[in-house]
Amino acid sequence: MASNSTDARVTVVGSLNMDLVVRAPRLPQPGETLAGHTFAQVAGGKGGNQAVAAARLGARVAMLGCVGADPNGAQLRAGLEAEGIDCTALDTGREPSGVALIVVDDASQNTIVIVAGSNGEVTPDAIARHEAALAAAQVVICQLETPPAAVRAALAAARRLGKIVILNPAPATGPLPADWLPLIDYLIPNETEAAALTGLTVESPDDAAQAAAALRAAGARNVLITLGARGLYAALDGAAPALYDAPRVAAVDTTAAGDTFIGGFAAQLAQGAEVDAALRFAQRAAALSVTRAGAQPSIPRRAELDALG
Ligand code: RIB
């Protein structure tokens, strides 16, 4: 088992999926049957990916979630444990483990369809039962692949416990409930999610600036909109908004790049890094993940980033 010597602690409340990944020349049209290049089955889920990223990038991590009592669940749990992630708060439910059907095209873009399965069994009661996992962390991360009532409970508990609270609103289907925003320190959507949250078109850094301003006007404290190869738009409390350019890399697969960014950012915050340094570190980690295939297999380790200088 890998171990981490630091006292920086991150707890992730979220999803674990078995990713069924097809590489194909392009993304299929409705009604079309398309011949793919390859198939792979790899560990994923936004929660699991963010937990693995935080662990590989320097934090001690706990995972709060739910897998099924099936081979996928056993494999997902074992994968986290192999990274030294504390799975005391990872329940086993009655539903099958979550799955994600992913198509990655030759331009390294993807589409993802998820079936929640046991991720849908994370409840407010589970959050309360596992509050010790939240209490132990400096930083708590949530996404939206678990039921909203559980996410709300986790955000509220983390806020009450005085933690740094990150919400990755993914997938987003519309605006967040207004009473969630005061519970969140860092709201981190991508372009698609920022558009869903605000009702605005978000395709450029200028669009991102408008969306971030709208989210801050609605009560979000710090907004970080990830823009893929175009970088990151950061609207931080008490600072001038800024566009952080992305490191240039040859993209192979963007799956889990956002998760790597979030896990890396959280690991840095838990270690006491300044926000600006944490953002640049997380961008470098995400850029490296894009050069490799798969969700959790693509996430780099701290030593790899250090070796690159
Ligand atoms: O963010 C990438 C992840 O989204 C994949 O691993 C898939 O499981 C979905 O949750």
Side-chain angles (χ1 to χ4, degrees):
M1 176 188 286
S3 68
N4 215 313
S5 59
T6 174
D7 281 334
R9 290 177 185 261
V10 173
T11 292
V12 180
V13 179
S15 60
L16 294 160
N17 293 328
M18 189 56 73
D19 288 356
L20 309 177
V21 188
V22 168
R23 295 206 69 114
R26 56 188 171 73
L27 305 179
Q29 300 295 315
E32 181 182 21
T33 299
L34 185 64
H37 303 308
T38 58
F39 170 75
Q41 182 167 319
V42 298
K46 294 183 195 305
N49 298 343
Q50 291 167 18
V52 167
R56 289 186 187 163
L57 294 168
R60 294 180 67 173
V61 178
M63 180 82 212
L64 195 165
C66 186
V67 291
D70 51 17
N72 283 348
Q75 191 177 330
L76 290 165
R77 181 187 295 274
L80 297 186
E81 288 176 345
E83 300 293 339
I85 295 170
D86 181 349
C87 292
T88 307
L90 182 60
D91 291 335
T92 300
R94 287 186 296 272
E95 296 292 323
S97 295
V99 291
L101 301 182
I102 302 179
V103 181
V104 183
D105 72 12
D106 284 349
S108 73
Q109 299 303 301
N110 65 48
T111 59
I112 303 178
V113 179
I114 57 170
V115 177
S118 55
N119 295 309
E121 296 183 85
V122 181
T123 61
D125 173 62
I127 303 300
R129 266 190 294 117
H130 296 305
E131 187 165 304
L134 302 179
Q138 288 99 356
V139 182
V140 173
I141 312 174
C142 300
Q143 326 78 36
L144 300 181
E145 287 185 342
T146 47
V151 177
R152 171 74 170 70
L155 296 174
R159 167 59 73 236
R160 172 170 46 78
L161 293 164
K163 307 306 174 184
I164 298 172
V165 184
I166 295 175
L167 178 68
N168 170 218
T173 54
L176 292 173
D179 68 342
W180 286 29
L181 294 174
L183 306 175
I184 301 162
D185 292 301
Y186 294 94
L187 182 65
I188 313 183
N190 66 14
E191 306 103 308
T192 308
E193 293 142 8
L197 295 179
T198 60
L200 300 170
T201 299
V202 183
E203 292 173 352
S204 68
D206 285 346
D207 295 341
Q210 289 190 17
L215 290 167
R216 293 205 67 215
R221 190 162 310 146
N222 299 291
V223 179
L224 303 171
I225 302 181
T226 57
L227 300 168
R230 282 170 299 185
L232 166 77
Y233 189 83
L236 298 168
D237 201 22
L243 180 67
Y244 287 64
D245 289 333
R248 287 189 176 279
V249 292
V252 170
D253 180 358
T254 60
T255 308
D259 299 330
T260 302
F261 174 83
I262 290 165
F265 180 60
Q268 286 280 294
L269 292 184
Q271 289 169 79
E274 297 292 333
V275 172
D276 179 72
L279 291 176
R280 294 182 193 283
F281 174 91
Q283 280 191 299
R284 291 176 60 228
L288 190 50
S289 79
V290 164
T291 66
R292 307 193 281 223
Q296 291 175 24
S298 73
I299 298 169
R301 297 182 184 281
R302 174 79 201 234
E304 292 176 79
L305 287 183
D306 291 346
L308 289 173

